[in-house]
Amino acid sequence: MKQKYEARIKELEAKLSSPSSEDQQPVTSTGRGPTFANVRRDFKITGKIGEPGSKESLGFSSLIHQVEHGLKRGYTDTEVLSAVITAVSPNLPLRSYLEGRVDLTVPKLRKILRVHFREKDATEVYVELTKLTQTKAESPQDFLLRALDLKQKILFSSMEDEAAVKYDVDLVQALFLHTVITGLRSEQIKWEIKQLADDKASNDEALLEVVGKTAKQETERQGKLQNRLQTASVESNVASSIVNQVPKEPKQGRDGKPKLYDEVQALKSEVSALRVAIEENARRNNRGGGRGRRHPGCKACREAGNQDGCNHCYRCGGGNHFARNCRNGQGGPQGNLGRSLLGGEEGPTSGSPNTVSSLGQNASH
């Protein structure tokens, strides 16, 4: 019984180890003998080729990468060309143009696609890399990826057969590091990249890791500082509101009244003193000012307001003589009392004998 089971087991192992008759079905001969059927999927382009700059359209670098990958996997040029033409959007003139080309090859297709995507050559991309800077709304990671993309485009364009200028890898790498260091806005990230650039064994992955880590720390530090400033601002606003809510007591003067009352009273006193000074000055101007001067005109003309046209005696008001020849002392002194008859010098008082005798002498002459 045991031998029977062992024989059965050996028989099953032999069947499992040998290929079945279904797997050994030959296919159509190609002149080299029968071959076994190898299942292989058709080559297809992932994505659509649309208008240049469209978000749904493939990029030139991505499309060429898929073409190169298909050729390396053993697909023929015809299969690759058919896949690319199928990926072109049907409403584009490029689709009908490629379908009408009988002599189309892969190198010719690359040139046509470069024109369609308006792809820059290596020199133009090199100049663009030299001017690259980080924008305000751009993160350090996005800026680094943009610089890496330009670097790869330069190297990719330089490797093409029709490239006019071929740039060395070390030259492009040196320019790339210089652009990243000078184009970043964060000084901390710049310092980290400089430390990494001294290491010749550094690569793009290490650079991305350092920038991502440093940028995360920088964002965290700025967030803490922002929270601290906001907290200090809130505390300051609360303190100000509390101070404003406390009623302010008016300052008291010496007599218990508010200090503002004293200031108003002092201002009123100054205004009154100023008014008195102005009135006194006007009064002096009306009198004629200096010593020995008098009001023009007699008393009657002054009262009538016609002192400028008065031709009467200033002493008695008579119309046939002047005050210096007046013999009539009626009416008392009017305006030239105390004025010397000789002009300008103070004479004796009106009641002295010298005055009467002098008047008599002048009349006799």
Side-chain angles (χ1 to χ4, degrees):
M1 193 70 178
K2 183 178 179 181
Q3 294 177 355
K4 185 177 180 180
Y5 281 114
E6 292 177 355
R8 182 62 178 169
I9 292 173
K10 290 180 180 180
E11 182 180 356
L12 292 173
E13 290 177 352
K15 287 183 179 183
L16 292 173
S17 61
S18 61
S20 61
S21 58
E22 296 178 356
D23 297 335
Q24 294 181 355
Q25 291 180 357
V27 294
T28 305
S29 176
T30 59
R32 299 179 182 177
T35 59
F36 295 99
N38 295 323
V39 179
R40 188 176 65 167
R41 300 174 62 182
D42 294 336
F43 178 70
K44 294 182 179 181
I45 297 295
T46 304
K48 281 291 183 180
I49 302 175
E51 292 288 346
S54 176
K55 295 181 179 180
E56 293 78 12
S57 176
L58 277 173
F60 177 75
S61 301
S62 177
L63 179 60
I64 297 301
H65 175 73
Q66 294 187 51
V67 171
E68 295 292 341
H69 184 66
L71 294 174
K72 290 180 180 179
R73 289 178 57 188
Y75 290 98
T76 62
D77 291 358
T78 304
E79 292 175 320
V80 172
L81 292 174
S82 177
V84 173
I85 294 174
T86 305
V88 178
S89 180
N91 58 348
L92 290 180
L94 178 64
R95 174 77 175 261
S96 59
Y97 170 73
L98 293 178
E99 290 175 345
R101 287 290 299 267
V102 181
D103 58 340
L104 188 63
T105 60
V106 174
K108 292 181 180 180
L109 178 64
R110 290 170 66 113
K111 293 182 180 180
I112 295 172
L113 292 176
R114 177 177 286 276
V115 175
H116 170 73
F117 284 100
R118 299 176 179 87
E119 194 71 12
K120 299 178 181 179
D121 58 13
T123 302
E124 293 175 336
V125 181
Y126 187 90
V127 174
E128 184 179 356
L129 181 60
T130 59
K131 301 178 180 179
L132 191 67
T133 56
Q134 180 186 358
T135 61
K136 292 183 178 180
E138 189 178 29
S139 64
Q141 296 91 326
D142 293 339
F143 169 71
L144 179 60
L145 289 174
R146 194 153 59 96
L148 286 171
D149 180 52
L150 292 178
K151 183 186 77 168
Q152 289 302 122
K153 286 182 178 180
I154 296 173
L155 297 177
F156 180 77
S157 300
S158 298
M159 290 187 297
E160 293 184 349
D161 297 334
E162 63 272 11
V165 180
K166 297 183 181 296
Y167 291 92
D168 184 66
V169 177
D170 296 335
L171 175 63
V172 176
Q173 181 67 17
L175 174 64
F176 162 74
L177 292 175
H178 177 75
T179 299
V180 172
I181 293 174
T182 56
L184 279 169
R185 302 173 65 88
S186 174
E187 296 294 335
Q188 182 64 26
I189 299 178
K190 288 181 182 180
W191 186 83
E192 294 290 344
I193 293 178
K194 288 180 181 179
Q195 300 299 318
L196 186 62
D198 296 337
D199 186 7
K200 302 299 181 180
S202 62
N203 49 25
D204 296 343
E205 292 79 11
L207 186 61
L208 285 169
E209 183 180 0
V210 168
V211 171
K213 182 179 178 181
T214 309
K216 183 178 179 181
Q217 294 175 354
E218 187 76 10
T219 303
E220 183 178 357
R221 185 181 67 85
Q222 291 179 358
K224 291 180 179 180
L225 292 176
Q226 186 68 22
N227 293 335
R228 184 181 301 176
L229 292 176
Q230 291 178 356
T231 302
S233 177
V234 170
E235 293 177 352
S236 177
N237 293 335
V238 171
S240 300
S241 62
I242 293 175
V243 171
N244 293 332
Q245 291 176 0
V246 176
K248 296 182 178 179
E249 297 182 357
K251 296 181 179 180
Q252 301 294 329
R254 291 175 296 178
D255 55 353
K257 296 182 179 181
K259 188 176 181 180
L260 180 61
Y261 177 81
D262 296 341
E263 295 178 355
V264 172
Q265 295 301 322
L267 182 61
K268 287 183 177 180
S269 301
E270 293 178 0
V271 172
S272 300
L274 182 62
R275 184 182 294 110
V276 171
I278 293 175
E279 293 176 353
E280 181 66 22
N281 188 27
R283 192 179 300 111
R284 291 178 180 177
N285 292 335
N286 291 334
R287 289 201 305 264
R291 180 185 175 191
R293 300 187 64 179
R294 51 181 170 71
H295 291 287
C298 62
K299 181 179 180 181
C301 291
R302 286 201 305 270
E303 292 177 354
N306 191 27
Q307 61 268 28
D308 293 336
C310 177
N311 55 3
H312 305 122
C313 175
Y314 292 167
R315 292 180 59 84
C316 65
N320 56 356
H321 64 276
F322 295 104
R324 65 180 179 179
N325 298 324
C326 181
R327 297 181 178 179
N328 187 4
Q330 296 180 359
Q334 300 213 358
N336 54 356
L337 183 62
R339 179 177 177 87
S340 174
L341 296 177
L342 298 177
E345 296 182 359
E346 293 185 357
T349 59
S350 58
S352 63
N354 294 333
T355 303
V356 177
S357 61
S358 62
L359 291 174
Q361 292 176 0
N362 290 335
S364 63
H365 289 294

